[in-house]
């Protein structure tokens, strides 16, 4: 049973000294209880507090950072088995497997530059290649350096201990992840990782030996460890992943309290799906096409959304199709699910339109309205900020059918010349609404193309 | 049960069974035992016999057993001196009668008596059953009326048929009264009788009524998936009919023994009898949902009375007003230049008042305008208005008045061209010129209320009448009553304490995103969203017993100070999926209530002050604890028990039970100006009740400070009582 | 140091629901007594079943890459059914009567019943029959289909909290299973099942459709709600232990990401593969969360998911792919 914030608070000095970075001891205690802070940040914690909190406050799964600088990625620190219990905290890093064999320096750099340039915006998140997993070959030292120079966290997919050592030595400042080859004797790799202070992946043919191997690596001085689960087939992989997470949370073996590393070969998207949903923390992908990466990024975004805090869209005026000043103007909340449903249906209607997404703190329309986040005044203010009046000549705004109650207030707040039209309740009725209500109205107004 | 009815029913039962026995004996004398027998195009043989005995009668010989069973159910024939066990005997006789009557109907063809002739349709085929029976089960057809006998004249007969049709009720007709039948009367009036018009004449004999009951049984077999069999199965079939098939018997004209017996049979199915003659009534409920036999009802009132007695809920699909209506028009404004007529605002007295009445004191559907109508006054006129709604319902309770009254606002906002603002005596109502031109009148406000109340609250509202006073005299006369009611409701709510009730209500509406969260709503602690109080929970449960609000019995007290009860703890354990063992209603430190995320405010302890702070959702700034509302919400929400932190509805702060185990309101050292404004005088008053002079002024807010150290200094300066109370943890 | 990994045991198990009766070769789903795919610690009598969606009219909104494998049979339900079973190996089919929608052809209940009848003639796998969407038209269409195809053990899609009485009654009357659809909400799903049970529907003939959010479009909501429904079922909640069906294809192929051509979004890669991946990822994720029946659109997705499931449940297909029948017989009508 973890300690509550209040129980932890009682163990703290209650001086509100702010040395931990928080304004009060209570706030710090709450962060500790949530597993988001470590007791070390309190310089005045008594030995009793440390003893009491030590075991309880250590996260069941350690955090591991790979890389340095802006693109460094920290994984682990998970506290639950089911995402609805709290949330999955650190989304898994997706690394591009890169075999530089046979490439000229220019070809290699072109590839790395291309990967570095990839940025895809989706629902408030920027998707990018999180790191490069360099396959050890003759050209790998240069490739690893090139990747590190570009800011990428690097995983070294080692083939030989000397080869890996050569790469690791060169980029040790960049905190690379050392991945020994399958079945290798881990001792040498553990010694290397311990000496350089870099994270290490340990693997084993079964869970018991995996846990032991991780414990041994820790004893050998490796502080940051990732586990590569046994996973010859989907069933075994799923079993291993589930057992590691459960074993870590139940603290049945210190060797299980580490994040998980997974390598996914070409054409194995199913394996990556399994990894992302079931607790893998670093996934190295052989495929490099968007058709593989986009679904996986999106899946990660979905699974790692805080289930108690809805995914939000950036407020603003979104174009559906290629709208002009005579196209309909719809307004909705910035709850991502609402936005997605509305935009999908609006797009399917074939009618280009403007979609004004109003900051409703990520609540659905009706909830937002009840909470006062989708009032006529707020919507009007948002429309003014988006300069909606300059975008549509008809000055008519279509509001969701669930909140007709704001129509009067909104019309008042928008002022002269604006009309409020109550749209359908369900997004699926947008197409018929455009056809049956907006169409004739637009023709009457003489605004229809 | 009335002794007279019981005696008559038993006599009738004996007569019927004897007749069936005679006809059967005659038939067996002339026909082979294996002669096929039954009604056309049905897979349910003789359905009543199938339902009541579990036996399929397919051959003539099979009838012997069935009629024998009927015979065995009959109690001894009553004599003048014999004292009767009322209900049981009569019901058994009724069941025996139905079996005998079905046997008689099945035997008729063998005796050369047709079942289908002239306008009589005879038994219903399975094809029609499938098409029409489902409407009874899925609610498209609210129920059926089995009309037994005849009306005094043809015109009344037609009127009754039309009244029943208007309510969408299926009308079965059978039996005669001195040779006259309702079907013959309708036929003479040229009324079409068939399955398209929902007017179905079965036959001129009383025994033909079994086809109506057989129809109900077959619906239960088909759409309820019920199987014939033994006693338990029979009970299931009867219960199914009682719960789902909203049928009743209209006894028209003189009621003889056989009709009494048939009625007793129908009562077994939960179908009550409404009579136009002065027969003895059987009021207390037992088998039927409400009364069993209601007599002396005028023909004009029969449909309404029957609907009420059977508990049939009639849903109005299209509210008969001349303008469009619906939630889509809810927020619409009627601007000054568009006003045809206006009530209230700052100009005239305008109030709405909903009162519950006993069933017999409300005339359902009555809408009166007392005073000028819209056309009687010049455009733009300002009139006073009293909207006086009287409702009655079997499950209506005076406590629900305020809940229904609150809905008047949304109901009257729905017609296009009507603007309604405020509640109680702060109402402002406008009707637009456009609406008036379309034919909308003041009276239609009543029409809307009538249908919306009946449609939206069928579980508690059976009857509605609305009076709209539009002249000063009437308005002023009613006002003191309404004002007194508002006040007494508030006082009643104020006097409603946790100790005085045995049941709290749960609210699990938020489990979709806070899986283990359960609100426990007590009279003195409303839901943390601020939207649901105990009465709302109670009404919500009456309206939908499978919804998110369930009654929870307190059970034995575990800790009266913390507010823990065994029943509540048991419920919490189960409803939180085992995540929590205990719940304190009155503490934020020990086993506090979980919080979903919809809380209006968060209360949190402030170590160093001995007190707490309350911050509202709208407040975006820093707070003395060092967290903004949104970071506090992250700690508090999600359905976890977080000692020291609770989500609350704002007005819980005013409750005597506000963290009473932890020291109560006197602990409040800091809050936001918005909360102070919202609670206003009520907070001031509550502070005074604490008996700590000047306490209200000592509560800091963001204009005093937003950090802990200055707050502690301030509290010392003003000598806040919390400082004396000691730390909470 | 040995690992003390105790298998997790639960008080409850899923109901086992058999789809198909009469002339159908039945497919049973559910019955498991552990978390989805946790074959290492629980027993699963049946593997998740894979359905393909066929339509009564040409689904003009389907994107080209998912139309392609169905070329020549779109809008010809019997032919599409044969191809789905014989060539693509579907365990069962979802017949989507989209053409009965008032805005999409307004086909009559009689035409709908004839379409379903033709599919029943063509193949002998169980059918889920999906109406045009909640409302009076759906009730009329599905009631007619239910009556005309009585005894075939169809799964009628779908009853909702607001509108369940008609379909509950016809499912009971004509021996069909029923899909109860609720909007991504555990309590609503439970409430609907209570209402169905109250209408005398046997919950052993009910599937839960918790509403599928496709990848990127609310998948996480479906995922968590399904996990919670499964946990409730395993905890012994008899009102939430019906197997779950997910309409994956419909939702996955609705996504913009499954439809936009590669030349418009060069970083997104090949449109065809991307679409299939979108469906594969949605399906696999929801199977992990507890889907017992997934309805797909692209046969390649079906093939890929089947291969995955083989790893857990062995490679003998539950269906030998000879589900196409020459002379089918229909259930005799006992009511006539």
């Amino acid at each position: 049973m973890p300690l509550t914030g209040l129980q932890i608070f009682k163990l703290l000095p209650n001086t509100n000294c702010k040395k931990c970075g928080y304004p009060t001891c209570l706030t710090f205690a709450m962060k500790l209880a949530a597993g988001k802070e470590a007791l070390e940040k309190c310089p005045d914690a008594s030995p009793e507090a440390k003893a009491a909190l030590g075991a309880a406050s250590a996260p069941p799964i350690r955090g591991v950072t790979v890389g340095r600088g802006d693109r460094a990625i920290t994984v682990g620190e998970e506290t639950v088995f089911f995402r609805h219990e709290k949330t999955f905290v650190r989304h898994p890093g997706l690394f591009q497997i890169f075999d530089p064999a046979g490439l000229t320096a220019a070809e290699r750099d072109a590839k790395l530059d291309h990967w570095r340039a990839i940025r895809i915006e989706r629902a408030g998140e920027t998707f990018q290649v999180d790191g490069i997993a360099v396959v050890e070959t003759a050209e790998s030292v240069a490739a690893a350096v090139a990747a590190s120079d570009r800011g990428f966290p690097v995983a070294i997919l080692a083939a030989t201990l000397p080869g890996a050592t050569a790469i690791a030595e060169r980029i040790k400042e960049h905190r690379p992840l050392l991945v020994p080859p399958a079945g290798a004797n881990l001792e040498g790799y553990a010694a290397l990782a311990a000496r350089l202070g870099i994270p290490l992946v340990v693997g084993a043919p079964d869970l018991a030996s995996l846990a032991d191997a991780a414990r041994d690596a820790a004893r050998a001085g490796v502080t940051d460890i990732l586990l590569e689960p046994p996973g010859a087939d989907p069933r075994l992989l799923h079993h291993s992943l589930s057992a590691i997470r459960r074993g870590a949370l139940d603290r049945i073996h210190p060797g299980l309290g580490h994040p998980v590393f997974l390598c996914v070969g070409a054409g194995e998207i199913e394996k990556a799906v399994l990894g992302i949903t079931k607790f893998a923390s670093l996934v190295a992908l052989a495929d490099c096409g968007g058709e593989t990466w986009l679904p996986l990024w999106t899946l990660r975004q979905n699974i790692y959304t805080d289930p108690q805090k809805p995914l939000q869209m950036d407020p603003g005026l979104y174009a559906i199709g290629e709208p002009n000043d005579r196209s309909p103007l719809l307004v909705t909340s910035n709850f991502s699910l609402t936005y997605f449903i509305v935009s999908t249906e609006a797009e399917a209607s074939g009618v280009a339109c403007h979609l004004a997404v109003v900051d409703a703190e990520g609540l659905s329309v009706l909830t937002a309205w009840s909470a006062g986040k989708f009032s006529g005044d707020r919507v009007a203010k948002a429309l003014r900020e988006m300069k909606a009046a300059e975008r549509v000549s008809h000055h008519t705004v279509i509001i969701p059918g669930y909140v007709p109650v704001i129509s009067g207030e909104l019309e008042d707040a928008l002022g002269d010349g604006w009309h409020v039209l109550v749209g359908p309740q369900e997004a699926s009725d947008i197409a018929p609404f455009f056809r049956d209500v907006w169409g004739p109205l637009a023709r009457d107004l003489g605004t229809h193309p | 049960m009335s002794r007279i009815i019981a005696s008559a029913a038993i006599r009738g039962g004996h007569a019927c069974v004897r007749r069936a026995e005679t006809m059967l004996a005659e038939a067996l004398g002339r026909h082979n035992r294996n002669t096929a027998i039954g009604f056309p195009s049905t897979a349910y043989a003789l359905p009543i016999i199938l339902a009541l005995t579990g036996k399929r009668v397919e051959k003539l010989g099979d009838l012997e057993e069935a009629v024998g069973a009927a015979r065995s159910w009959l109690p001894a024939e009553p004599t003048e001196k014999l004292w009767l066990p009322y209900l049981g005997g009569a019901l058994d006789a009724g069941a025996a009668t139905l079996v005998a009557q079905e046997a008689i109907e099945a035997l008729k063809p063998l005796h050369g008596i047709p079942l289908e002739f002239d306008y009589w349709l005879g038994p219903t085929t399975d094809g029609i059953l499938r098409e029409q029976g489902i409407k009874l089960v899925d609610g498209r057809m609210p129920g059926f009326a089995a009309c037994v006998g005849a009306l005094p004249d043809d015109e009344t007969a037609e009127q009754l048929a039309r009244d029943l049709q208007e309510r969408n009720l299926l009308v079965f007709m059978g039996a005669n009264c001195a040779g006259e039948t309702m079907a013959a009367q309708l036929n003479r009036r040229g009324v079409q009788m068939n399955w398209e018009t929902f007017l179905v004449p079965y036959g001129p004999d009383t025994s033909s009524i079994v086809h109506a009951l057989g129809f109900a049984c077959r619906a239960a077999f088909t759409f309820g998936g019920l199987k014939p069999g033994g006693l338990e199965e029979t009970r299931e079939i009867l219960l199914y009919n009682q719960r789902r098939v909203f049928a009743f018997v209209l006894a028209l004209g003189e009621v003889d023994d056989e009709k009494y017996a048939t009625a007793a049979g129908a009562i077994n199915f939960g179908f009550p009898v409404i009579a136009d003659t002065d027969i003895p009534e059987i009021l207390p409920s037992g088998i039927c949902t409400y009364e069993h036999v209601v007599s002396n009802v005028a023909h004009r009132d029969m449909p309404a009375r029957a609907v009420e007695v059977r508990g049939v809920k009639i849903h109005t699909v299209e509210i008969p007003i001349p303008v469009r209506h619906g939630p889509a028009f809810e927020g619409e404004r009627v601007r000054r230049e568009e006003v045809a007529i206006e009530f209230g605002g700052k100009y005239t007295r305008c109030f709405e008042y909903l009162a519950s009445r006993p069933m017999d004191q409300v005339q359902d559907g009555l809408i009166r305008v007392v005073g000028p109508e819209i056309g009687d006054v010049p455009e733009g006129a300002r009139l006073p208005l009293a909207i006086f709604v009287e409702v009655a319902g079997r499950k209506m309770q005076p406590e629900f008045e305020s809940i229904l009254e609150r809905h008047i606002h949304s109901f009257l906002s729905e017609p296009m061209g009507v603007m309604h603002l405020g509640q109680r005596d702060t109402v402002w109502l406008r009707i637009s010129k456009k609406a008036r031109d379309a034919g909308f009148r003041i009276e239609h406000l009543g029409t809307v209320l009538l249908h919306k109340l009946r449609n939206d609250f069928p579980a508690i509202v059976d009857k509605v009448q609305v009076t709209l006073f539009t002249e000063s005299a009437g308005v002023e006369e009613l006002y003191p009553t309404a004002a007194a009611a508002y006040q007494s409701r508030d006082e009643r709510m104020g006097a409603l304490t946790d100790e005085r009730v045995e049941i709290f209500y749960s609210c699990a509406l938020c489990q979709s995103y806070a899986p283990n969260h359960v609100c426990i709503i007590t009279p003195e602690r409303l839901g943390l969203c601020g939207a649901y109080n105990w009465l709302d929970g109670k009404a919500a449960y009456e309206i939908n017993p499978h919804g998110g609000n369930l009654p929870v019995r307190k059970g034995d007290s575990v800790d009266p100070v913390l507010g823990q009860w065994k029943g509540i703890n048991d419920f919490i354990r189960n409803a939180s999926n085992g995540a929590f063992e205990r719940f304190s209603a009155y503490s934020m430190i020990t086993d506090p209530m979980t919080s979903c995320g919809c809380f209006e405010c968060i209360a949190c302890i402030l170590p160093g002050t001995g007190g707490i702070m309350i911050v509202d959702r709208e407040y975006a700034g820093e707070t003395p604890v060092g967290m903004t509302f949104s970071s506090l919400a992250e700690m508090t929400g999600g359905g976890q028990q977080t000692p020291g932190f609770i989500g609350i509805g704002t007005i819980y702060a005013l409750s005597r039970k506000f963290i009473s185990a932890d020291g109560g309101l006197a602990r409040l050292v800091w809050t936001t100006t918005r909360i102070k404004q919202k609670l206003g005088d009520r907070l001031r008053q509550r502070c005074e009740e604490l008996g700590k002079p000047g306490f209200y002024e000592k509560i800091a807010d963001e204009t005093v400070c937003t950090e802990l150290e200055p707050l502690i200094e301030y509290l010392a300066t003003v000598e806040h009582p919390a400082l004396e109370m000691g730390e909470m943890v | 140091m040995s690992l003390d990994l105790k298998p997790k045991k639960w008080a409850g198990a899923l109901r086992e629901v058999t789809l198909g009766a009469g002339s159908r070769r039945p497919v049973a789903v559910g019955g498991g007594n552990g978390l989805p795919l946790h074959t290492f610690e629980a027993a699963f009598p049946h593997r998740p079943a894979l359905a393909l969606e066929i339509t009564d009219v040409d689904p003009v909104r389907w994107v080209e890459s998912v139309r392609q494998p169905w070329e020549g049979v779109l809008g010809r339900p019997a032919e599409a059914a044969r191809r789905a079973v014989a060539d693509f190996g579907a365990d069962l089919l979802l017949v989507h009567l989209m053409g009965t929608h008032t805005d999409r052809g307004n086909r009559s209940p009689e035409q709908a019943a004839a379409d379903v009848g033709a599919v029943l003639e063509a193949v002998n796998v169980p059918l889920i029959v999906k109406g045009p969407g909640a409302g009076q038209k759906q009730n009329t269409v599905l009631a007619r289909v239910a009556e005309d195809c009585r005894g075939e053990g169809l799964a009628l899609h779908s009853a909702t909290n607001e509108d369940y009485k008609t379909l509950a009654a016809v499912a009971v009357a004509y021996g069909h299973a029923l899909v109860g659809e609720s909007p991504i909400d555990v309590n609503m799903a439970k409430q609907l099942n209570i209402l169905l049970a109250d209408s005398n529907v046997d919950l052993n003939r009910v599937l839960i459709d918790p509403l599928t959010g496709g990848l990127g479009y609310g998948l996480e909501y479906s995922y968590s709600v399904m996990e919670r429904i499964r946990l409730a079922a395993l905890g012994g909640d008899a009102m939430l232990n019906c197997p779950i069906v997910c309409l994956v294809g419909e939702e996955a192929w609705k996504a913009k990401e499954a439809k936009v051509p590669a030349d418009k979004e060069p970083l997104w890669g090949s449109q065809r593969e991307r679409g299939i991946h979108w469906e594969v990822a949605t399906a696999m994720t929801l199977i992990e969360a507890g889907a017992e029946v997934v309805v797909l659109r692209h046969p390649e997705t079906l093939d890929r998911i089947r291969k995955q499931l083989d790893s857990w449940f062995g490679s003998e297909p539950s269906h030998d792919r000879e589900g196409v029948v020459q002379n089918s017989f229909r259930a005799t009508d006992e009511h006539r």
Side-chain angles (χ1 to χ4, degrees), chain A residues 61-79:
Chain A
I61 297 170
R62 292 181 58 93
V64 172
T65 302
V66 179
R68 284 224 194 274
D70 293 347
R71 292 183 89 130
I73 180 163
T74 301
V75 296
E77 299 179 339
E78 301 296 336
T79 58

Short mmCIF file of all heavy atoms in Angstrom, two decimals, chain A residues 61-79:
data_model
loop_
_atom_site.label_atom_id
_atom_site.label_comp_id
_atom_site.label_asym_id
_atom_site.label_seq_id
_atom_site.Cartn_x
_atom_site.Cartn_y
_atom_site.Cartn_z
N ILE A 61 9.10 1.06 -11.34
CA ILE A 61 9.89 0.88 -12.56
C ILE A 61 10.78 2.10 -12.69
O ILE A 61 10.30 3.24 -12.70
CB ILE A 61 8.96 0.76 -13.79
CG1 ILE A 61 8.09 -0.50 -13.64
CG2 ILE A 61 9.79 0.72 -15.07
CD1 ILE A 61 6.99 -0.61 -14.64
N ARG A 62 12.07 1.85 -12.76
CA ARG A 62 13.01 2.96 -12.77
C ARG A 62 12.91 3.77 -14.07
O ARG A 62 12.51 3.25 -15.10
CB ARG A 62 14.44 2.44 -12.64
CG ARG A 62 14.76 1.84 -11.28
CD ARG A 62 16.20 1.39 -11.23
NE ARG A 62 17.12 2.49 -11.50
CZ ARG A 62 17.67 3.24 -10.55
NH1 ARG A 62 17.40 3.01 -9.28
NH2 ARG A 62 18.50 4.22 -10.86
N GLY A 63 13.28 5.02 -13.98
CA GLY A 63 13.36 5.83 -15.18
C GLY A 63 14.75 5.69 -15.81
O GLY A 63 15.73 5.55 -15.10
N VAL A 64 14.79 5.67 -17.13
CA VAL A 64 16.06 5.59 -17.83
C VAL A 64 16.09 6.67 -18.91
O VAL A 64 15.12 6.81 -19.66
CB VAL A 64 16.26 4.20 -18.48
CG1 VAL A 64 17.51 4.20 -19.37
CG2 VAL A 64 16.36 3.12 -17.42
N THR A 65 17.20 7.41 -18.96
CA THR A 65 17.33 8.44 -19.99
C THR A 65 18.37 8.01 -21.02
O THR A 65 19.45 7.55 -20.65
CB THR A 65 17.73 9.78 -19.36
OG1 THR A 65 16.73 10.14 -18.41
CG2 THR A 65 17.83 10.88 -20.42
N VAL A 66 18.01 8.14 -22.28
CA VAL A 66 18.94 7.86 -23.37
C VAL A 66 19.15 9.16 -24.12
O VAL A 66 18.20 9.89 -24.40
CB VAL A 66 18.38 6.78 -24.32
CG1 VAL A 66 19.35 6.52 -25.47
CG2 VAL A 66 18.09 5.49 -23.56
N GLY A 67 20.43 9.46 -24.45
CA GLY A 67 20.74 10.68 -25.19
C GLY A 67 20.93 11.85 -24.24
O GLY A 67 20.73 11.74 -23.02
N ARG A 68 21.34 12.97 -24.86
CA ARG A 68 21.52 14.19 -24.08
C ARG A 68 20.91 15.34 -24.85
O ARG A 68 20.70 15.28 -26.04
CB ARG A 68 23.02 14.49 -23.91
CG ARG A 68 23.69 13.60 -22.90
CD ARG A 68 24.63 14.40 -21.99
NE ARG A 68 25.51 13.50 -21.25
CZ ARG A 68 25.16 12.93 -20.10
NH1 ARG A 68 23.99 13.20 -19.55
NH2 ARG A 68 25.99 12.11 -19.50
N GLY A 69 20.62 16.40 -24.13
CA GLY A 69 20.14 17.58 -24.81
C GLY A 69 18.64 17.52 -25.08
O GLY A 69 17.91 16.73 -24.48
N ASP A 70 18.22 18.34 -26.04
CA ASP A 70 16.80 18.52 -26.30
C ASP A 70 16.07 17.23 -26.63
O ASP A 70 14.93 17.05 -26.28
CB ASP A 70 16.60 19.48 -27.50
CG ASP A 70 17.05 20.87 -27.15
OD1 ASP A 70 17.27 21.11 -25.94
OD2 ASP A 70 17.19 21.70 -28.07
N ARG A 71 16.76 16.37 -27.39
CA ARG A 71 16.05 15.18 -27.85
C ARG A 71 16.25 13.99 -26.93
O ARG A 71 15.77 12.90 -27.23
CB ARG A 71 16.51 14.84 -29.27
CG ARG A 71 16.05 15.87 -30.29
CD ARG A 71 16.44 15.48 -31.70
NE ARG A 71 15.42 14.65 -32.33
CZ ARG A 71 14.92 14.89 -33.55
NH1 ARG A 71 15.33 15.90 -34.26
NH2 ARG A 71 14.02 14.10 -34.05
N ALA A 72 16.94 14.19 -25.81
CA ALA A 72 17.11 13.07 -24.87
C ALA A 72 15.74 12.56 -24.48
O ALA A 72 14.77 13.31 -24.38
CB ALA A 72 17.86 13.55 -23.63
N ILE A 73 15.64 11.24 -24.29
CA ILE A 73 14.33 10.68 -23.98
C ILE A 73 14.42 9.86 -22.70
O ILE A 73 15.34 9.09 -22.49
CB ILE A 73 13.81 9.84 -25.16
CG1 ILE A 73 12.44 9.26 -24.81
CG2 ILE A 73 14.78 8.70 -25.54
CD1 ILE A 73 11.68 8.79 -26.02
N THR A 74 13.44 10.12 -21.81
CA THR A 74 13.37 9.37 -20.56
C THR A 74 12.16 8.45 -20.62
O THR A 74 11.07 8.88 -20.99
CB THR A 74 13.24 10.33 -19.36
OG1 THR A 74 14.38 11.20 -19.37
CG2 THR A 74 13.19 9.56 -18.06
N VAL A 75 12.40 7.20 -20.27
CA VAL A 75 11.28 6.24 -20.28
C VAL A 75 11.24 5.53 -18.93
O VAL A 75 12.14 5.67 -18.11
CB VAL A 75 11.45 5.21 -21.42
CG1 VAL A 75 11.39 5.90 -22.77
CG2 VAL A 75 12.76 4.43 -21.26
N GLY A 76 10.15 4.76 -18.74
CA GLY A 76 9.99 4.04 -17.48
C GLY A 76 9.11 4.82 -16.52
O GLY A 76 8.26 5.61 -16.95
N GLU A 77 9.32 4.62 -15.22
CA GLU A 77 8.57 5.33 -14.18
C GLU A 77 7.08 5.07 -14.25
O GLU A 77 6.27 5.89 -13.83
CB GLU A 77 8.85 6.83 -14.22
CG GLU A 77 10.31 7.16 -13.98
CD GLU A 77 10.61 8.65 -14.04
OE1 GLU A 77 9.83 9.39 -14.64
OE2 GLU A 77 11.63 9.05 -13.48
N GLU A 78 6.71 3.92 -14.80
CA GLU A 78 5.29 3.60 -14.88
C GLU A 78 4.82 3.03 -13.55
O GLU A 78 5.61 2.41 -12.82
CB GLU A 78 5.03 2.59 -16.00
CG GLU A 78 5.47 3.06 -17.38
CD GLU A 78 4.68 4.27 -17.86
OE1 GLU A 78 3.55 4.47 -17.37
OE2 GLU A 78 5.19 5.01 -18.72
N THR A 79 3.55 3.25 -13.25
CA THR A 79 3.06 2.81 -11.94
C THR A 79 1.82 1.91 -12.01
O THR A 79 1.32 1.48 -10.99
CB THR A 79 2.70 4.03 -11.07
OG1 THR A 79 1.72 4.79 -11.78
CG2 THR A 79 3.90 4.88 -10.79
#
